[in-house]
Amino acid sequence: MYWNWKTIIEPFKIKSVEPLGFTTRAEREKALQDGGYNMFNIPSDKVLIDLLTDSGTSAMSSEQWAGIMRGDEAYAGARSFYAFEKSVRELTGFREVIPVHQGRAAERILFSIIGGSDKTFLSNSHFDTTRANIEVTGAEALDLPAPGALEFEKYGDFKGDIDLRALETALDSKAGRIPLVLMTVTNNSLGGQPVSMQNLRACSKICRGFGVPFFLDCARFAENAWFIKKREKGYADRPVVDIAREMFSLAQGCMMSAKKDALVNMGGFLAMNDADLAKRCREALIVGEGFSTYGGLAGRDLEAIAIGLREVLDEEYLRYRIRSVEYFGDGLRKAGVPFVEPPGGHGIYVDARRMLPRIPPHEYPAQALVCELYLAGGIRAVEIGSLMFGRHRNGIFEPAPMELVRLAVPRRVYTQSHIDFVIEVFADVARRSNSIRGLKLIEASEHLSHFTARLAPSGTGPMMAS
Ligand code: F0G
C-alpha cells in the first residue's frame, strides 16, 4: 500500500504489554552508585525507558510467536533448521549457512580461523565485539571510515561508507596479510549511518582485484537497504528485498547478529559460499557452540529468525522504523541537543563532546551524560566513546575519536509518547548541561572494558546538580 498521509503510524497493534520500571530519584541515585556508574550494572526494573541497545530487545510478532510453538527441538536436522537455512539462503544467496547463538559467536569462530598475529582486518568501522574478537587473535582491526564520517554535525546521505582510497592503499601496503574486508551495514559505531550501494560495489570490486574476500556484518541490513531506496539514485522504485539481495550479491559472505534486523531476542549466523572455510567454521561451531543444525540456539529460535528475516523487509515496517528514529531526532534538534546528523537507522547518537565541552575525554563526558539521563528520567543509554574505545597504553590514556551517547531504539517496542518523554527529559538535561560533572575510572578489564568498568564522580561533592 502506498502511504499518502503525513502521519506515519506504527504498522502494528499491541497484543501483549509489560509494565515499565517507575522509580524515585533516590532509588536511581542508589542504583547508579551500586552499579559503579555503569549502565550495564543497573537492573532493568529500575529503568523506565531502555535505550541501552536495539539488540535482542525487539517485540516479536504473533507470527513469530506462532513459529516458536512450531519449533522443532531435534538435536540434529531439525525442521526449524531447514526453515532457517531456507530463509537465510533466499535473502543472502549464500549456500553455506551456519547458525550461532549471537553475532559475536560468529566473529569468534571466523576470526579464530582466519585471524592471527600478523594479520590486519579492514572495515568501515568494526563494532566493539568484532574488534575484540579480532584483537584476541593478535590481529589488527583497522577502521577506514569515509572522509566526513566524523564530522558529526554535517548531513550526509551515506556517512557509513568506507574510504575507498584508504582501502586500496591498505590492501596494497599490507598485501598478503589481509584475510578479509568487512563492511558493517549500517555503521553502528559511527552513528548507525548507511553504506551506499555504490560504495559496496566499489569496495567489492577493489577486494576482487586484490583477491581478498569481502564480507558484510549485516546486523542491520534491512535498515541499510531502506536508506538506499530513499537516498540513492535509481533505487526509489525497487522493492527493498531486491535491494537487500543486491547488497549481499556483492559480498562473498556475511555474519549477522540476528538480534537486530531479524527481530528476535537471540540468534545469529555466518553465511558464505566458500565450502572449505564453512567446513572449518562448522568444526569450530561443534566444539564451542553446538551441532551444525542448531549452533547454540533452540529450534524455536531458528524458526523465529526465519520469520523475522522476512518481516523486517516489509516496507510499511521500514517506513515507520526509520521515520520514528527521525522523529526522535527532530525533537532533540529542536531542544538544541547536538547529535550525529542525520539520525541513524537504529538510534540517535548524541555528541557529548559538543554538549559537555568542559569535561575532558579522560573524565568520560559521554558516560557522564548517560548517568545524568538516568538520574533525571530513568532513561538508559549507552556510551560510545572513550569508555568503550579509549585505551591505556604504557600508562598513557588514548581517548576515542568520538564521545557519543547512543540512544538505541528497540524495534516495535516504544510508542511516540515514550519518545516524546525522552525528548522532554533531554531538553531539561541540555539546559543545565554546565552543571554535569565528569567521572573517573576505578576498575576496568582489558577487552570490552565498558561492560565491566566501575566509575565514580571525579573530584568531590555531589556528582550532578539537579
Ligand atoms: N556487529 C554489529 C554491527 C553489532 O552492532 C553487534 C552488536 C555485533 C556485531 C555483535 O552481535 O551482540 O549478537 O553478539 N551490537 C549490540 C549493540 C550489542 O548494542 O549495538 P551480538
Side-chain angles (χ1 to χ4, degrees):
M1 180 188 66
Y2 182 69
W3 192 255
N4 261 328
W5 304 97
K6 254 188 18 227
T7 310
I8 310 287
I9 59 170
E10 284 84 359
F12 50 79
K13 50 189 178 172
I14 296 165
K15 198 193 260 316
S16 177
V17 297
E18 60 182 310
L20 299 180
F22 285 90
T23 50
T24 62
R25 180 163 178 116
E27 285 171 328
R28 293 195 293 280
E29 276 169 3
K30 179 164 186 324
L32 204 54
Q33 267 170 21
D34 291 351
Y37 294 82
N38 182 338
M39 288 298 127
F40 290 97
N41 293 334
I42 307 279
S44 83
D45 59 3
K46 298 217 160 17
V47 175
L48 188 65
I49 307 281
D50 203 346
L51 306 181
L52 183 73
T53 180
D54 62 320
S55 180
T57 51
S58 299
M60 287 202 291
S61 66
S62 46
E63 263 309 296
Q64 284 176 298
W65 281 109
I68 292 240
M69 286 307 294
R70 283 197 304 271
D72 176 0
E73 303 303 340
Y75 187 97
R79 197 175 55 242
S80 299
F81 169 73
Y82 296 111
F84 163 84
E85 185 185 52
K86 181 164 178 277
S87 191
V88 175
R89 279 184 177 159
E90 273 171 9
L91 169 67
T92 66
F94 300 128
R95 284 185 300 273
E96 309 286 343
V97 178
I98 301 169
V100 291
H101 83 273
Q102 65 180 93
R104 69 200 69 180
E107 293 164 356
R108 189 177 48 78
I109 289 171
L110 187 65
F111 298 128
S112 68
I113 294 168
I114 63 174
S117 57
D118 53 341
K119 304 283 182 6
T120 298
F121 290 86
L122 308 175
S123 176
N124 50 346
S125 290
H126 296 86
F127 184 62
D128 61 352
T129 59
T130 324
R131 171 175 293 280
N133 276 296
I134 289 171
E135 289 178 352
V136 293
T137 74
E140 176 192 25
L142 198 58
D143 290 346
L144 305 172
L150 287 162
E151 292 170 39
F152 295 144
E153 63 281 12
K154 274 204 203 141
Y155 180 92
D157 280 338
F158 292 103
K159 287 167 81 178
D161 283 355
I162 198 167
D163 183 337
L164 295 167
R165 202 173 296 165
L167 175 70
E168 271 192 291
T169 307
L171 282 165
D172 194 36
S173 67
K174 294 171 188 285
R177 291 194 286 128
I178 299 184
L180 187 88
V181 172
L182 183 70
M183 192 82 96
T184 311
V185 293
T186 58
N187 186 346
N188 185 16
S189 303
L190 288 178
Q193 302 293 315
V195 179
S196 66
M197 194 71 86
Q198 194 186 12
N199 192 253
L200 284 167
R201 208 176 290 126
C203 180
S204 170
K205 191 166 165 217
I206 292 169
C207 289
R208 219 172 320 127
F210 281 90
V212 172
F214 173 46
F215 270 47
L216 299 183
D217 175 344
C218 61
R220 300 176 180 86
F221 73 94
E223 290 166 3
N224 199 95
W226 179 259
F227 280 121
I228 289 176
K229 183 178 170 84
K230 289 286 133 183
R231 295 183 183 168
E232 194 160 349
K233 207 162 155 262
Y235 286 94
D237 298 325
R238 293 270 304 279
V240 80
V241 59
D242 288 1
I243 299 173
R245 286 191 183 125
E246 184 176 340
M247 287 164 57
F248 286 106
S249 76
L250 296 167
Q252 279 83 55
C254 66
M255 49 188 168
M256 177 162 190
S257 166
K259 298 169 73 173
K260 286 81 170 172
D261 267 353
L263 301 170
V264 293
N265 306 120
M266 192 48 74
F269 59 83
L270 261 168
M272 63 195 78
N273 284 331
D274 183 337
D276 275 348
L277 180 59
K279 185 165 170 277
R280 294 169 71 196
C281 289
R282 282 197 189 95
E283 283 163 10
L285 181 84
I286 294 171
V287 173
E289 289 269 304
F291 186 61
S292 54
T293 62
Y294 73 89
L297 291 168
R300 52 181 170 269
D301 297 328
L302 294 165
E303 201 78 41
I305 296 170
I307 297 164
L309 285 176
R310 289 192 292 270
E311 272 182 8
V312 76
L313 290 165
D314 178 290
E315 302 204 358
E316 297 307 335
Y317 161 75
L318 283 169
R319 189 194 318 282
Y320 137 81
R321 168 74 178 158
I322 301 302
R323 175 58 201 145
S324 58
V325 177
E326 227 174 58
Y327 173 88
F328 194 176
D330 291 346
L332 291 179
R333 202 181 291 115
K334 257 189 228 142
V337 176
F339 59 85
V340 177
E341 292 279 12
H346 63 293
I348 302 288
Y349 291 59
V350 174
D351 189 348
R353 195 182 279 164
R354 278 176 68 210
M355 195 167 157
L356 307 174
R358 294 176 324 124
I359 303 181
H362 69 272
E363 290 189 8
Y364 306 104
Q367 185 65 10
L369 181 55
V370 162
C371 291
E372 181 57 29
L373 275 174
Y374 176 69
L375 277 181
I379 297 159
R380 176 154 69 171
V382 76
E383 192 252 24
I384 299 189
S386 290
L387 186 60
M388 189 180 271
F389 288 120
R391 287 278 189 281
H392 289 269
R393 254 189 266 267
N394 308 322
I396 296 169
F397 175 70
E398 295 172 16
M402 67 291 202
E403 303 293 345
L404 301 173
V405 171
R406 186 185 70 174
L407 304 157
V409 184
R411 295 171 181 78
R412 305 193 290 207
V413 170
Y414 293 117
T415 64
Q416 192 166 331
S417 62
H418 291 122
I419 297 301
D420 286 340
F421 169 80
V422 178
I423 293 167
E424 184 186 340
V425 172
F426 230 115
D428 171 59
V429 169
R431 270 193 298 274
R432 52 195 174 75
S433 57
N434 276 342
S435 64
I436 298 176
R437 304 257 310 274
L439 296 162
K440 61 181 177 214
L441 192 62
I442 293 181
E443 200 183 299
S445 56
E446 194 190 336
H447 292 287
L448 296 173
S449 59
H450 53 287
F451 286 124
T452 52
R454 293 190 75 82
L455 300 101
S458 66
T460 52
M463 182 197 169
M464 291 143 194
S466 47

Coordinates of all heavy atoms in Angstrom, one line a residue, residues 107-181:
E107 N 31.7 -14.1 15.0 CA 33.0 -13.4 15.0 C 34.1 -14.3 15.6 O 35.2 -14.4 15.0 CB 32.9 -12.1 15.8 CG 32.0 -11.0 15.2 CD 31.6 -9.9 16.2 OE1 32.0 -10.0 17.4 OE2 30.9 -9.0 15.8
R108 N 33.9 -14.9 16.7 CA 34.9 -15.7 17.4 C 35.3 -16.8 16.5 O 36.5 -17.1 16.3 CB 34.4 -16.2 18.7 CG 35.5 -16.8 19.6 CD 35.0 -17.2 20.9 NE 33.7 -18.0 20.9 CZ 33.6 -19.2 20.5 NH1 34.7 -19.9 20.2 NH2 32.4 -19.8 20.5
I109 N 34.3 -17.5 15.9 CA 34.6 -18.6 15.0 C 35.4 -18.2 13.8 O 36.4 -18.8 13.5 CB 33.2 -19.3 14.6 CG1 32.6 -20.0 15.9 CG2 33.4 -20.3 13.5 CD1 31.2 -20.6 15.6
L110 N 34.9 -17.2 13.1 CA 35.6 -16.8 11.9 C 37.0 -16.3 12.1 O 37.9 -16.7 11.5 CB 34.7 -15.7 11.2 CG 35.2 -15.3 9.8 CD1 35.1 -16.5 8.8 CD2 34.4 -14.1 9.3
F111 N 37.1 -15.4 13.1 CA 38.4 -14.8 13.3 C 39.4 -15.7 14.0 O 40.6 -15.6 13.8 CB 38.3 -13.5 14.1 CG 37.5 -12.4 13.4 CD1 36.4 -11.8 14.0 CD2 37.8 -12.1 12.0 CE1 35.7 -10.8 13.3 CE2 37.0 -11.2 11.3 CZ 36.0 -10.6 12.0
S112 N 38.9 -16.7 14.7 CA 39.9 -17.7 15.3 C 40.5 -18.5 14.2 O 41.6 -19.1 14.3 CB 39.2 -18.6 16.4 OG 38.2 -19.4 15.7
I113 N 39.8 -18.6 13.1 CA 40.3 -19.4 11.9 C 41.1 -18.6 11.0 O 42.2 -19.0 10.6 CB 39.1 -20.0 11.2 CG1 38.4 -21.1 12.0 CG2 39.5 -20.7 9.8 CD1 37.0 -21.5 11.5
I114 N 40.7 -17.4 10.7 CA 41.4 -16.6 9.7 C 42.3 -15.4 10.3 O 43.0 -14.7 9.6 CB 40.5 -16.0 8.6 CG1 39.5 -15.0 9.2 CG2 39.8 -17.1 7.9 CD1 38.6 -14.3 8.1
G115 N 42.2 -15.3 11.6 CA 43.0 -14.2 12.3 C 44.4 -14.7 12.6 O 44.8 -15.6 12.0
G116 N 45.0 -13.9 13.5 CA 46.4 -14.3 13.8 C 47.3 -13.0 13.9 O 46.9 -12.0 13.4
S117 N 48.5 -13.2 14.5 CA 49.2 -12.0 14.9 C 49.8 -11.2 13.8 O 50.1 -10.0 14.0 CB 50.4 -12.5 15.9 OG 51.1 -13.4 15.2
D118 N 49.9 -11.7 12.6 CA 50.5 -10.9 11.6 C 49.4 -10.3 10.6 O 49.7 -9.8 9.6 CB 51.5 -11.7 10.7 CG 50.9 -13.0 10.2 OD1 49.8 -13.4 10.8 OD2 51.4 -13.6 9.2
K119 N 48.1 -10.5 11.0 CA 47.0 -10.2 10.1 C 46.4 -8.8 10.4 O 46.4 -8.3 11.6 CB 45.9 -11.2 10.2 CG 46.4 -12.6 10.0 CD 46.6 -12.9 8.5 CE 47.0 -14.2 8.0 NZ 47.1 -15.3 8.9
T120 N 45.8 -8.2 9.4 CA 45.0 -6.9 9.6 C 43.7 -7.1 8.9 O 43.6 -7.6 7.8 CB 45.8 -5.8 8.9 OG1 47.0 -5.6 9.6 CG2 45.0 -4.5 9.1
F121 N 42.6 -6.7 9.6 CA 41.3 -6.7 9.1 C 40.9 -5.2 8.8 O 41.2 -4.3 9.6 CB 40.3 -7.3 10.0 CG 40.5 -8.8 10.1 CD1 41.5 -9.3 11.0 CD2 39.8 -9.7 9.3 CE1 41.7 -10.7 11.1 CE2 40.1 -11.1 9.4 CZ 41.0 -11.6 10.3
L122 N 40.2 -5.0 7.7 CA 39.8 -3.7 7.3 C 38.3 -3.6 7.3 O 37.6 -4.5 6.9 CB 40.3 -3.3 5.9 CG 41.8 -3.6 5.6 CD1 42.1 -3.3 4.2 CD2 42.6 -2.6 6.5
S123 N 37.8 -2.4 7.7 CA 36.3 -2.2 7.8 C 36.0 -0.7 7.7 O 36.9 0.1 8.0 CB 35.8 -2.8 9.1 OG 34.4 -2.5 9.3
N124 N 34.8 -0.4 7.4 CA 34.3 1.0 7.5 C 34.4 1.3 9.0 O 34.9 2.4 9.4 CB 32.9 1.2 6.9 CG 31.9 0.2 7.4 OD1 32.2 -0.8 7.9 ND2 30.6 0.5 7.1
S125 N 33.9 0.4 9.9 CA 34.2 0.5 11.3 C 33.8 -0.8 11.9 O 32.8 -1.4 11.6 CB 33.3 1.5 12.0 OG 33.6 2.8 11.7
H126 N 34.7 -1.4 12.7 CA 34.5 -2.6 13.4 C 33.6 -2.3 14.6 O 33.9 -1.3 15.4 CB 35.8 -3.3 13.9 CG 36.7 -3.7 12.8 ND1 37.6 -2.8 12.2 CD2 36.8 -4.9 12.1 CE1 38.3 -3.5 11.3 NE2 37.8 -4.7 11.2
F127 N 32.6 -3.1 14.9 CA 31.9 -2.9 16.1 C 32.8 -3.4 17.3 O 33.8 -4.1 17.1 CB 30.5 -3.7 16.1 CG 29.7 -3.5 17.4 CD1 29.3 -2.2 17.7 CD2 29.5 -4.5 18.2 CE1 28.6 -2.0 18.8 CE2 28.8 -4.3 19.4 CZ 28.3 -3.0 19.7
D128 N 32.4 -3.1 18.5 CA 33.4 -3.3 19.6 C 33.7 -4.8 19.8 O 34.8 -5.2 20.0 CB 32.9 -2.7 21.0 CG 31.5 -3.2 21.4 OD1 30.8 -3.9 20.7 OD2 31.1 -2.9 22.6
T129 N 32.6 -5.7 19.7 CA 32.9 -7.1 19.9 C 33.7 -7.7 18.7 O 34.5 -8.6 18.8 CB 31.6 -7.9 20.0 OG1 30.8 -7.7 18.8 CG2 30.8 -7.5 21.2
T130 N 33.4 -7.1 17.5 CA 34.2 -7.5 16.3 C 35.7 -7.2 16.5 O 36.5 -8.1 16.3 CB 33.6 -6.8 15.1 OG1 32.2 -6.6 15.2 CG2 33.9 -7.5 13.8
R131 N 35.9 -6.0 16.9 CA 37.3 -5.6 17.2 C 37.9 -6.5 18.2 O 39.0 -7.0 18.0 CB 37.3 -4.1 17.7 CG 38.6 -3.6 18.2 CD 38.6 -2.1 18.5 NE 38.4 -1.3 17.3 CZ 39.4 -1.0 16.4 NH1 40.6 -1.4 16.7 NH2 39.1 -0.3 15.4
A132 N 37.2 -6.8 19.3 CA 37.7 -7.6 20.4 C 38.1 -9.0 19.9 O 39.1 -9.6 20.2 CB 36.7 -7.7 21.5
N133 N 37.2 -9.6 19.1 CA 37.4 -10.9 18.6 C 38.5 -11.0 17.6 O 39.2 -12.1 17.4 CB 36.1 -11.5 18.0 CG 35.2 -12.1 19.0 OD1 35.6 -13.1 19.7 ND2 34.1 -11.5 19.3
I134 N 38.8 -9.9 16.9 CA 40.0 -9.8 16.0 C 41.3 -9.7 16.9 O 42.2 -10.4 16.7 CB 39.8 -8.6 15.0 CG1 38.8 -9.0 14.0 CG2 41.2 -8.3 14.4 CD1 38.4 -7.8 13.1
E135 N 41.2 -8.7 17.8 CA 42.4 -8.4 18.6 C 42.8 -9.6 19.5 O 44.0 -9.8 19.8 CB 42.2 -7.1 19.4 CG 42.1 -5.9 18.5 CD 41.9 -4.6 19.3 OE1 41.6 -4.6 20.5 OE2 42.0 -3.5 18.6
V136 N 41.9 -10.4 20.0 CA 42.3 -11.5 20.9 C 43.1 -12.5 20.1 O 43.8 -13.3 20.7 CB 41.2 -12.2 21.6 CG1 40.6 -11.3 22.7 CG2 40.1 -12.8 20.7
T137 N 43.0 -12.5 18.7 CA 43.8 -13.5 18.0 C 45.2 -12.9 17.7 O 46.0 -13.5 17.0 CB 43.2 -13.8 16.6 OG1 43.3 -12.7 15.7 CG2 41.7 -14.2 16.7
G138 N 45.4 -11.6 18.1 CA 46.7 -11.0 17.9 C 46.7 -10.1 16.6 O 47.6 -9.4 16.3
A139 N 45.6 -10.1 15.9 CA 45.5 -9.4 14.7 C 45.1 -7.9 14.9 O 44.7 -7.6 16.1 CB 44.4 -10.0 13.7
E140 N 45.2 -7.1 13.9 CA 44.8 -5.7 14.0 C 43.5 -5.5 13.3 O 43.2 -6.1 12.3 CB 45.9 -4.9 13.3 CG 45.7 -3.4 13.2 CD 46.7 -2.7 12.2 OE1 47.2 -3.4 11.3 OE2 46.9 -1.5 12.4
A141 N 42.7 -4.6 13.9 CA 41.4 -4.2 13.3 C 41.5 -2.7 12.9 O 41.6 -1.9 13.8 CB 40.2 -4.4 14.3
L142 N 41.5 -2.5 11.6 CA 41.7 -1.1 11.1 C 40.4 -0.5 10.6 O 39.8 -1.1 9.7 CB 42.8 -1.1 10.0 CG 43.5 0.2 9.7 CD1 44.2 0.8 10.9 CD2 44.5 -0.1 8.6
D143 N 40.0 0.6 11.2 CA 38.8 1.3 10.7 C 39.1 2.3 9.6 O 40.0 3.1 9.8 CB 38.1 2.1 11.8 CG 37.5 1.1 12.9 OD1 37.3 -0.1 12.6 OD2 37.2 1.6 14.0
L144 N 38.4 2.2 8.5 CA 38.6 3.2 7.4 C 37.3 3.9 7.0 O 36.8 3.8 5.9 CB 39.2 2.4 6.2 CG 40.4 1.6 6.4 CD1 40.7 0.7 5.1 CD2 41.6 2.4 6.7
P145 N 36.8 4.7 7.9 CA 35.5 5.4 7.6 C 35.8 6.4 6.5 O 36.9 7.0 6.4 CB 35.1 6.0 8.9 CG 36.3 6.1 9.7 CD 37.2 5.0 9.3
A146 N 34.7 6.7 5.7 CA 34.9 7.6 4.6 C 35.1 9.0 5.2 O 34.7 9.3 6.3 CB 33.6 7.6 3.8
P147 N 35.8 9.9 4.4 CA 36.0 11.3 4.9 C 34.6 11.9 5.2 O 33.7 11.7 4.5 CB 36.6 12.0 3.7 CG 37.1 10.9 2.8 CD 36.3 9.6 3.1
G148 N 34.5 12.6 6.3 CA 33.3 13.2 6.6 C 32.5 12.4 7.7 O 31.6 13.0 8.3
A149 N 32.8 11.1 7.9 CA 32.1 10.3 8.8 C 32.2 10.9 10.3 O 31.3 10.7 11.1 CB 32.6 8.9 8.8
L150 N 33.3 11.5 10.5 CA 33.5 12.1 11.9 C 33.1 13.5 12.0 O 33.2 14.1 13.1 CB 34.9 11.9 12.4 CG 35.3 10.4 12.7 CD1 36.8 10.2 12.7 CD2 34.7 10.0 14.0
E151 N 32.6 14.1 10.9 CA 32.0 15.5 11.0 C 30.6 15.3 11.4 O 29.7 15.4 10.5 CB 32.2 16.2 9.7 CG 33.7 16.5 9.4 CD 33.9 17.0 8.0 OE1 33.1 17.8 7.5 OE2 34.9 16.6 7.3
F152 N 30.3 15.2 12.7 CA 29.0 14.8 13.1 C 27.9 15.7 12.8 O 26.8 15.3 12.6 CB 29.1 14.5 14.6 CG 30.0 13.4 15.0 CD1 30.7 13.4 16.2 CD2 30.1 12.2 14.2 CE1 31.5 12.3 16.5 CE2 30.9 11.2 14.5 CZ 31.6 11.2 15.7
E153 N 28.2 17.0 12.8 CA 27.1 18.0 12.6 C 26.7 18.1 11.1 O 25.6 18.7 10.9 CB 27.4 19.3 13.2 CG 28.6 20.1 12.7 CD 29.9 19.6 13.1 OE1 30.1 18.5 13.7 OE2 30.9 20.3 12.8
K154 N 27.5 17.6 10.2 CA 27.2 17.8 8.8 C 26.3 16.6 8.3 O 26.6 15.5 8.5 CB 28.5 17.8 8.0 CG 29.1 19.1 7.9 CD 30.0 19.2 6.7 CE 31.0 20.3 6.9 NZ 32.3 20.0 6.3
Y155 N 25.3 17.0 7.5 CA 24.4 15.9 6.9 C 25.2 15.2 5.8 O 26.0 15.8 5.0 CB 23.2 16.6 6.3 CG 22.3 15.6 5.6 CD1 21.2 15.0 6.3 CD2 22.5 15.2 4.3 CE1 20.4 14.0 5.8 CE2 21.7 14.2 3.7 CZ 20.7 13.6 4.4 OH 19.9 12.7 3.9
G156 N 25.0 13.9 5.7 CA 25.5 13.2 4.5 C 24.6 12.0 4.3 O 24.1 11.4 5.3
D157 N 24.3 11.7 3.0 CA 23.4 10.6 2.8 C 24.0 9.2 3.2 O 23.2 8.4 3.7 CB 23.1 10.5 1.3 CG 22.1 11.5 0.8 OD1 21.3 11.9 1.7 OD2 22.1 11.9 -0.4
F158 N 25.3 9.0 3.0 CA 25.9 7.7 3.2 C 27.2 7.9 4.0 O 28.3 7.5 3.5 CB 26.1 7.0 1.9 CG 24.8 6.6 1.3 CD1 24.3 7.3 0.2 CD2 24.0 5.5 1.8 CE1 23.1 7.0 -0.4 CE2 22.8 5.2 1.2 CZ 22.3 5.9 0.1
K159 N 27.0 8.3 5.2 CA 28.2 8.5 6.1 C 28.8 7.2 6.6 O 29.8 7.2 7.4 CB 27.9 9.5 7.2 CG 27.7 11.0 6.7 CD 27.1 11.9 7.7 CE 28.1 12.4 8.7 NZ 27.5 13.3 9.7
G160 N 28.2 6.1 6.3 CA 28.7 4.8 6.7 C 29.7 4.2 5.7 O 30.3 3.2 6.0
D161 N 29.9 4.9 4.6 CA 30.8 4.4 3.6 C 32.2 4.1 4.1 O 32.6 4.8 5.0 CB 30.8 5.4 2.4 CG 29.6 5.3 1.5 OD1 28.7 4.4 1.7 OD2 29.5 6.1 0.6
I162 N 32.9 3.2 3.4 CA 34.3 3.0 3.6 C 35.1 4.0 2.8 O 34.6 4.4 1.7 CB 34.7 1.5 3.4 CG1 36.0 1.2 4.0 CG2 34.8 1.2 1.9 CD1 36.3 -0.3 4.1
D163 N 36.3 4.4 3.2 CA 37.1 5.2 2.4 C 37.9 4.4 1.4 O 38.8 3.6 1.7 CB 38.2 5.9 3.4 CG 39.1 6.9 2.7 OD1 39.3 6.8 1.5 OD2 39.6 7.7 3.4
L164 N 37.4 4.5 0.1 CA 37.9 3.6 -0.9 C 39.4 3.8 -1.2 O 40.1 2.8 -1.4 CB 37.1 3.8 -2.2 CG 35.6 3.4 -2.1 CD1 34.8 3.9 -3.3 CD2 35.5 1.9 -1.9
R165 N 39.8 5.0 -1.1 CA 41.3 5.2 -1.4 C 42.1 4.6 -0.3 O 43.1 3.9 -0.6 CB 41.5 6.8 -1.5 CG 42.8 7.0 -2.3 CD 43.0 8.5 -2.6 NE 41.9 9.1 -3.5 CZ 41.8 10.4 -3.6 NH1 42.5 11.2 -2.9 NH2 40.8 10.8 -4.4
A166 N 41.7 4.8 0.9 CA 42.4 4.3 2.1 C 42.4 2.7 2.0 O 43.4 2.1 2.4 CB 41.9 4.8 3.4
L167 N 41.3 2.2 1.5 CA 41.2 0.8 1.4 C 42.2 0.2 0.4 O 42.9 -0.8 0.7 CB 39.7 0.4 0.9 CG 39.4 -1.0 0.6 CD1 39.4 -1.9 1.9 CD2 38.1 -1.2 -0.1
E168 N 42.3 0.9 -0.7 CA 43.2 0.4 -1.8 C 44.7 0.5 -1.2 O 45.5 -0.4 -1.4 CB 43.1 1.3 -3.0 CG 42.1 0.7 -4.0 CD 42.1 1.3 -5.3 OE1 41.7 2.5 -5.4 OE2 42.5 0.6 -6.3
T169 N 45.0 1.6 -0.6 CA 46.3 1.8 0.0 C 46.6 0.7 1.0 O 47.7 0.1 0.9 CB 46.4 3.2 0.7 OG1 46.0 4.2 -0.3 CG2 47.8 3.5 1.1
A170 N 45.7 0.4 1.9 CA 46.0 -0.6 2.9 C 46.1 -2.0 2.3 O 47.0 -2.8 2.7 CB 44.8 -0.6 3.9
L171 N 45.2 -2.3 1.3 CA 45.3 -3.6 0.6 C 46.7 -3.8 -0.1 O 47.2 -4.8 -0.1 CB 44.2 -3.8 -0.4 CG 42.8 -4.1 0.2 CD1 41.7 -3.9 -0.8 CD2 42.7 -5.5 0.7
D172 N 47.1 -2.7 -0.6 CA 48.4 -2.7 -1.3 C 49.6 -2.8 -0.3 O 50.4 -3.7 -0.5 CB 48.5 -1.4 -2.1 CG 49.6 -1.4 -3.1 OD1 49.8 -2.5 -3.7 OD2 50.3 -0.4 -3.4
S173 N 49.6 -2.0 0.7 CA 50.8 -1.9 1.6 C 50.8 -3.1 2.5 O 51.9 -3.5 3.0 CB 50.8 -0.6 2.4 OG 49.7 -0.6 3.3
K174 N 49.7 -3.8 2.7 CA 49.7 -4.9 3.6 C 49.3 -6.2 2.9 O 48.8 -7.1 3.4 CB 48.7 -4.7 4.8 CG 49.0 -3.6 5.7 CD 47.8 -3.3 6.7 CE 48.1 -2.1 7.5 NZ 49.0 -2.2 8.6
A175 N 49.7 -6.2 1.6 CA 49.3 -7.3 0.7 C 49.8 -8.7 1.3 O 50.9 -8.8 1.9 CB 50.0 -7.2 -0.7
G176 N 48.9 -9.6 1.3 CA 49.2 -11.0 1.8 C 48.9 -11.1 3.3 O 48.9 -12.2 3.8
R177 N 48.6 -10.0 3.9 CA 48.3 -10.1 5.4 C 46.9 -9.7 5.7 O 46.5 -9.6 6.9 CB 49.3 -9.1 6.1 CG 50.7 -9.6 6.1 CD 51.6 -8.9 7.0 NE 51.9 -7.6 6.6 CZ 51.8 -6.5 7.4 NH1 51.2 -6.6 8.6 NH2 52.1 -5.3 6.9
I178 N 46.0 -9.5 4.7 CA 44.6 -9.1 4.9 C 43.7 -10.3 4.6 O 43.5 -10.6 3.4 CB 44.3 -7.8 4.2 CG1 45.2 -6.7 4.7 CG2 42.8 -7.5 4.4 CD1 45.0 -5.4 4.1
P179 N 43.2 -11.0 5.6 CA 42.3 -12.1 5.3 C 40.9 -11.8 4.8 O 40.3 -12.6 4.2 CB 42.2 -12.9 6.6 CG 43.1 -12.2 7.6 CD 43.4 -10.8 7.0
L180 N 40.5 -10.5 5.1 CA 39.1 -10.2 4.9 C 38.9 -8.7 5.0 O 39.5 -8.0 5.8 CB 38.3 -10.9 6.0 CG 36.8 -10.9 5.9 CD1 36.3 -12.1 5.1 CD2 36.2 -11.0 7.3
V181 N 37.9 -8.2 4.2 CA 37.4 -6.8 4.4 C 36.0 -7.0 4.8 O 35.2 -7.8 4.2 CB 37.5 -6.0 3.1 CG1 36.8 -4.7 3.2 CG2 39.0 -5.8 2.7

